[in-house]
Amino acid sequence: MGSYTISVIHGDGIGPEVCAEGVRLLEALGQRYGHSFSFTEYLAGGAAIDATGDPLPQATIDGVKASDALLFGAIGGPKWENLPQDKKPEAGLLRLRKELGAFANLRPAIVFDELVDASTLKPEVVRGTDIMVVRELTGGLYFGTPRGVEGSGASRKGFNTMVYEASEIERIARVGFETAMLRSKKLCSVDKANVLDVSQLWRDVVIEVSKDYPEVTLSHMYVDNCAMQLIRDPKQFDVIVTGNIFGDILSDEASQLTGSIGMLASASVGGPVGFFEPIHGSAPDIAGQGKANPLAMIGSVEMALRYGLKLETEADAVAAAVKKTLADGLRTGDIMQPGCTQLDTQAMGAAVIERLG
Ligand code: NAD
């Protein structure tokens, strides 16, 4: 039995609708398992711009840092699109990730049997897929210097630097191994060590770290092969650990195996406070209509329990309840299938809570 302080950032569009279901789920889990979850709401994104003129007010940073986990809805929308880059809602989100030092992004791609037809790939290829991509989030090509565009005319030169320090590789490798220990103890490290020096260092360091995890079976794969294998035979993977740019591309590819953005959760961990959010945006086209699928947020709550608060039993209960909800033929509009029952956001959230067991 524990006592946990949860920061909640509703954000914009469907953010408040899906966050409400995440909070209700945690409250229900608190009652069932004897935990006390207290929630504090903070502003970010368009809502924060409207209220304070800043997409990430200092009070939000301070409040979130003092909490045990952050549940984040989604931010952005047409109303704020024409603001200068650093005043846009998205600027607030990027700053918050940096402030929290969340260097490890965990993105699961799970194909539920009940939704196997939602994928663009053949059912026999994707059925049973359950992959976790662990992506390094604060280093590599996206942050390395020097970077820029120089010169003029035909000799203009654009450049970025792909750089990792051994310590950065070691800490993300450890997240990969720890994640593998919580799952089937298989880890695939993805790099481009046949061409890139930085990738050779990546591979060397991952091998060094593997000595601390003798139970985990480690394999290595070049990124181009991994991109191919993910659509050829996704079930060969369990946990993938990789650098920033490779992880960006591969996690999007893996997520699309599942077919629906309304189902996909994520966690960014490694700093003092874990950051748990659906991968979808604020979906202005369906906001306020009860059409949003809350399962991506519910999956994010599961990740907060498992990877943030280390409450594995409770996380397993959420995963099982989601599976049962789908098996019972309950769907939101985005994943609706013939013969199933269509529910709105709240009813879908309630259906999961009813099936917590
Ligand atoms: P989006 O993810 O908001 O929507 C894409 C499509 O998926 C839309 O048709 C939407 O209705 C649908 N969709 C998304 N989530 C859904 C859900 N839970 N249930 C059912 N359908 C769902 O992407 P977009 O339209 O490109 O972006 C809209 C806004 O969100 C933009 O301002 C963008 O910058 C922002 N955005 C924010 C985040 C974030 O907060 N992390 C991420 C991506 C985009």
Side-chain angles (χ1 to χ4, degrees), residues 143-161:
F143 290 90
T145 52
R147 60 188 296 166
V149 178
E150 282 178 353
S152 60
S155 61
R156 262 181 312 161
K157 194 170 74 171
F159 49 93
N160 289 85
T161 304

PDB file of all heavy atoms in Angstrom, residues 143-161:
ATOM      1  N   PHE A 143      20.702  16.036 -31.185  1.00  0.00           N
ATOM      2  CA  PHE A 143      21.222  17.023 -30.238  1.00  0.00           C
ATOM      3  C   PHE A 143      22.709  17.326 -30.453  1.00  0.00           C
ATOM      4  O   PHE A 143      23.225  18.280 -29.892  1.00  0.00           O
ATOM      5  CB  PHE A 143      21.015  16.544 -28.794  1.00  0.00           C
ATOM      6  CG  PHE A 143      19.562  16.544 -28.374  1.00  0.00           C
ATOM      7  CD1 PHE A 143      18.764  15.426 -28.563  1.00  0.00           C
ATOM      8  CD2 PHE A 143      18.987  17.680 -27.820  1.00  0.00           C
ATOM      9  CE1 PHE A 143      17.422  15.424 -28.203  1.00  0.00           C
ATOM     10  CE2 PHE A 143      17.648  17.689 -27.445  1.00  0.00           C
ATOM     11  CZ  PHE A 143      16.861  16.558 -27.639  1.00  0.00           C
ATOM     12  N   GLY A 144      23.403  16.479 -31.246  1.00  0.00           N
ATOM     13  CA  GLY A 144      24.848  16.631 -31.382  1.00  0.00           C
ATOM     14  C   GLY A 144      25.255  17.936 -32.047  1.00  0.00           C
ATOM     15  O   GLY A 144      24.535  18.467 -32.891  1.00  0.00           O
ATOM     16  N   THR A 145      26.420  18.443 -31.658  1.00  0.00           N
ATOM     17  CA  THR A 145      26.964  19.637 -32.302  1.00  0.00           C
ATOM     18  C   THR A 145      28.364  19.292 -32.830  1.00  0.00           C
ATOM     19  O   THR A 145      29.009  18.397 -32.305  1.00  0.00           O
ATOM     20  CB  THR A 145      27.054  20.807 -31.309  1.00  0.00           C
ATOM     21  OG1 THR A 145      27.750  20.371 -30.148  1.00  0.00           O
ATOM     22  CG2 THR A 145      25.688  21.343 -30.952  1.00  0.00           C
ATOM     23  N   PRO A 146      28.866  19.970 -33.871  1.00  0.00           N
ATOM     24  CA  PRO A 146      28.224  21.096 -34.559  1.00  0.00           C
ATOM     25  C   PRO A 146      27.042  20.673 -35.417  1.00  0.00           C
ATOM     26  O   PRO A 146      26.945  19.540 -35.849  1.00  0.00           O
ATOM     27  CB  PRO A 146      29.349  21.650 -35.435  1.00  0.00           C
ATOM     28  CG  PRO A 146      30.244  20.484 -35.676  1.00  0.00           C
ATOM     29  CD  PRO A 146      30.175  19.639 -34.426  1.00  0.00           C
ATOM     30  N   ARG A 147      26.149  21.643 -35.634  1.00  0.00           N
ATOM     31  CA  ARG A 147      25.014  21.441 -36.515  1.00  0.00           C
ATOM     32  C   ARG A 147      24.721  22.761 -37.217  1.00  0.00           C
ATOM     33  O   ARG A 147      25.046  23.829 -36.711  1.00  0.00           O
ATOM     34  CB  ARG A 147      23.791  20.990 -35.725  1.00  0.00           C
ATOM     35  CG  ARG A 147      23.363  22.000 -34.675  1.00  0.00           C
ATOM     36  CD  ARG A 147      22.272  21.481 -33.772  1.00  0.00           C
ATOM     37  NE  ARG A 147      21.053  21.212 -34.513  1.00  0.00           N
ATOM     38  CZ  ARG A 147      20.027  20.507 -34.020  1.00  0.00           C
ATOM     39  NH1 ARG A 147      20.082  20.014 -32.798  1.00  0.00           N
ATOM     40  NH2 ARG A 147      18.955  20.315 -34.729  1.00  0.00           N
ATOM     41  N   GLY A 148      24.121  22.715 -38.374  1.00  0.00           N
ATOM     42  CA  GLY A 148      23.752  23.977 -39.002  1.00  0.00           C
ATOM     43  C   GLY A 148      23.807  23.899 -40.521  1.00  0.00           C
ATOM     44  O   GLY A 148      23.979  22.831 -41.111  1.00  0.00           O
ATOM     45  N   VAL A 149      23.614  25.074 -41.139  1.00  0.00           N
ATOM     46  CA  VAL A 149      23.735  25.212 -42.587  1.00  0.00           C
ATOM     47  C   VAL A 149      24.665  26.397 -42.819  1.00  0.00           C
ATOM     48  O   VAL A 149      24.478  27.457 -42.229  1.00  0.00           O
ATOM     49  CB  VAL A 149      22.359  25.470 -43.253  1.00  0.00           C
ATOM     50  CG1 VAL A 149      22.514  25.648 -44.756  1.00  0.00           C
ATOM     51  CG2 VAL A 149      21.375  24.341 -42.942  1.00  0.00           C
ATOM     52  N   GLU A 150      25.694  26.180 -43.641  1.00  0.00           N
ATOM     53  CA  GLU A 150      26.700  27.236 -43.867  1.00  0.00           C
ATOM     54  C   GLU A 150      26.927  27.457 -45.348  1.00  0.00           C
ATOM     55  O   GLU A 150      26.644  26.570 -46.159  1.00  0.00           O
ATOM     56  CB  GLU A 150      28.062  26.787 -43.310  1.00  0.00           C
ATOM     57  CG  GLU A 150      28.190  26.904 -41.837  1.00  0.00           C
ATOM     58  CD  GLU A 150      29.550  26.395 -41.354  1.00  0.00           C
ATOM     59  OE1 GLU A 150      30.335  25.831 -42.155  1.00  0.00           O
ATOM     60  OE2 GLU A 150      29.802  26.559 -40.157  1.00  0.00           O
ATOM     61  N   GLY A 151      27.527  28.574 -45.670  1.00  0.00           N
ATOM     62  CA  GLY A 151      27.939  28.846 -47.040  1.00  0.00           C
ATOM     63  C   GLY A 151      26.809  29.418 -47.870  1.00  0.00           C
ATOM     64  O   GLY A 151      25.751  29.795 -47.339  1.00  0.00           O
ATOM     65  N   SER A 152      27.043  29.465 -49.183  1.00  0.00           N
ATOM     66  CA  SER A 152      26.025  30.038 -50.060  1.00  0.00           C
ATOM     67  C   SER A 152      26.009  29.305 -51.397  1.00  0.00           C
ATOM     68  O   SER A 152      26.969  28.620 -51.761  1.00  0.00           O
ATOM     69  CB  SER A 152      26.302  31.533 -50.282  1.00  0.00           C
ATOM     70  OG  SER A 152      27.569  31.667 -50.877  1.00  0.00           O
ATOM     71  N   GLY A 153      24.915  29.469 -52.080  1.00  0.00           N
ATOM     72  CA  GLY A 153      24.778  28.889 -53.413  1.00  0.00           C
ATOM     73  C   GLY A 153      24.960  27.378 -53.395  1.00  0.00           C
ATOM     74  O   GLY A 153      24.558  26.688 -52.447  1.00  0.00           O
ATOM     75  N   ALA A 154      25.618  26.879 -54.466  1.00  0.00           N
ATOM     76  CA  ALA A 154      25.756  25.426 -54.621  1.00  0.00           C
ATOM     77  C   ALA A 154      26.681  24.829 -53.571  1.00  0.00           C
ATOM     78  O   ALA A 154      26.680  23.615 -53.348  1.00  0.00           O
ATOM     79  CB  ALA A 154      26.287  25.121 -56.018  1.00  0.00           C
ATOM     80  N   SER A 155      27.506  25.649 -52.913  1.00  0.00           N
ATOM     81  CA  SER A 155      28.411  25.100 -51.899  1.00  0.00           C
ATOM     82  C   SER A 155      27.827  25.180 -50.483  1.00  0.00           C
ATOM     83  O   SER A 155      28.525  24.933 -49.498  1.00  0.00           O
ATOM     84  CB  SER A 155      29.761  25.811 -51.970  1.00  0.00           C
ATOM     85  OG  SER A 155      29.582  27.177 -51.703  1.00  0.00           O
ATOM     86  N   ARG A 156      26.553  25.560 -50.364  1.00  0.00           N
ATOM     87  CA  ARG A 156      25.912  25.537 -49.039  1.00  0.00           C
ATOM     88  C   ARG A 156      26.039  24.140 -48.454  1.00  0.00           C
ATOM     89  O   ARG A 156      25.890  23.152 -49.167  1.00  0.00           O
ATOM     90  CB  ARG A 156      24.424  25.878 -49.147  1.00  0.00           C
ATOM     91  CG  ARG A 156      24.124  27.330 -48.834  1.00  0.00           C
ATOM     92  CD  ARG A 156      22.661  27.597 -48.930  1.00  0.00           C
ATOM     93  NE  ARG A 156      22.126  27.055 -50.173  1.00  0.00           N
ATOM     94  CZ  ARG A 156      20.835  26.814 -50.382  1.00  0.00           C
ATOM     95  NH1 ARG A 156      19.942  27.048 -49.455  1.00  0.00           N
ATOM     96  NH2 ARG A 156      20.423  26.336 -51.549  1.00  0.00           N
ATOM     97  N   LYS A 157      26.309  24.080 -47.168  1.00  0.00           N
ATOM     98  CA  LYS A 157      26.553  22.782 -46.528  1.00  0.00           C
ATOM     99  C   LYS A 157      25.657  22.651 -45.306  1.00  0.00           C
ATOM    100  O   LYS A 157      25.616  23.549 -44.469  1.00  0.00           O
ATOM    101  CB  LYS A 157      28.028  22.742 -46.103  1.00  0.00           C
ATOM    102  CG  LYS A 157      28.534  21.395 -45.731  1.00  0.00           C
ATOM    103  CD  LYS A 157      30.050  21.422 -45.561  1.00  0.00           C
ATOM    104  CE  LYS A 157      30.439  22.121 -44.279  1.00  0.00           C
ATOM    105  NZ  LYS A 157      31.836  22.022 -43.916  1.00  0.00           N
ATOM    106  N   GLY A 158      24.894  21.561 -45.236  1.00  0.00           N
ATOM    107  CA  GLY A 158      24.086  21.289 -44.053  1.00  0.00           C
ATOM    108  C   GLY A 158      24.694  20.132 -43.293  1.00  0.00           C
ATOM    109  O   GLY A 158      25.146  19.169 -43.897  1.00  0.00           O
ATOM    110  N   PHE A 159      24.751  20.218 -41.959  1.00  0.00           N
ATOM    111  CA  PHE A 159      25.406  19.139 -41.211  1.00  0.00           C
ATOM    112  C   PHE A 159      24.838  18.989 -39.808  1.00  0.00           C
ATOM    113  O   PHE A 159      24.371  19.946 -39.193  1.00  0.00           O
ATOM    114  CB  PHE A 159      26.926  19.388 -41.124  1.00  0.00           C
ATOM    115  CG  PHE A 159      27.260  20.780 -40.671  1.00  0.00           C
ATOM    116  CD1 PHE A 159      27.480  21.058 -39.332  1.00  0.00           C
ATOM    117  CD2 PHE A 159      27.333  21.809 -41.590  1.00  0.00           C
ATOM    118  CE1 PHE A 159      27.770  22.349 -38.921  1.00  0.00           C
ATOM    119  CE2 PHE A 159      27.617  23.109 -41.183  1.00  0.00           C
ATOM    120  CZ  PHE A 159      27.830  23.377 -39.852  1.00  0.00           C
ATOM    121  N   ASN A 160      24.835  17.754 -39.358  1.00  0.00           N
ATOM    122  CA  ASN A 160      24.507  17.426 -37.976  1.00  0.00           C
ATOM    123  C   ASN A 160      25.567  16.452 -37.478  1.00  0.00           C
ATOM    124  O   ASN A 160      26.308  15.880 -38.281  1.00  0.00           O
ATOM    125  CB  ASN A 160      23.113  16.797 -37.876  1.00  0.00           C
ATOM    126  CG  ASN A 160      22.033  17.810 -38.142  1.00  0.00           C
ATOM    127  OD1 ASN A 160      21.680  18.072 -39.289  1.00  0.00           O
ATOM    128  ND2 ASN A 160      21.517  18.422 -37.101  1.00  0.00           N
ATOM    129  N   THR A 161      25.609  16.233 -36.196  1.00  0.00           N
ATOM    130  CA  THR A 161      26.637  15.363 -35.621  1.00  0.00           C
ATOM    131  C   THR A 161      25.965  14.249 -34.822  1.00  0.00           C
ATOM    132  O   THR A 161      25.164  14.527 -33.938  1.00  0.00           O
ATOM    133  CB  THR A 161      27.551  16.184 -34.682  1.00  0.00           C
ATOM    134  OG1 THR A 161      28.090  17.276 -35.428  1.00  0.00           O
ATOM    135  CG2 THR A 161      28.673  15.333 -34.122  1.00  0.00           C
TER     136      THR A 161
END
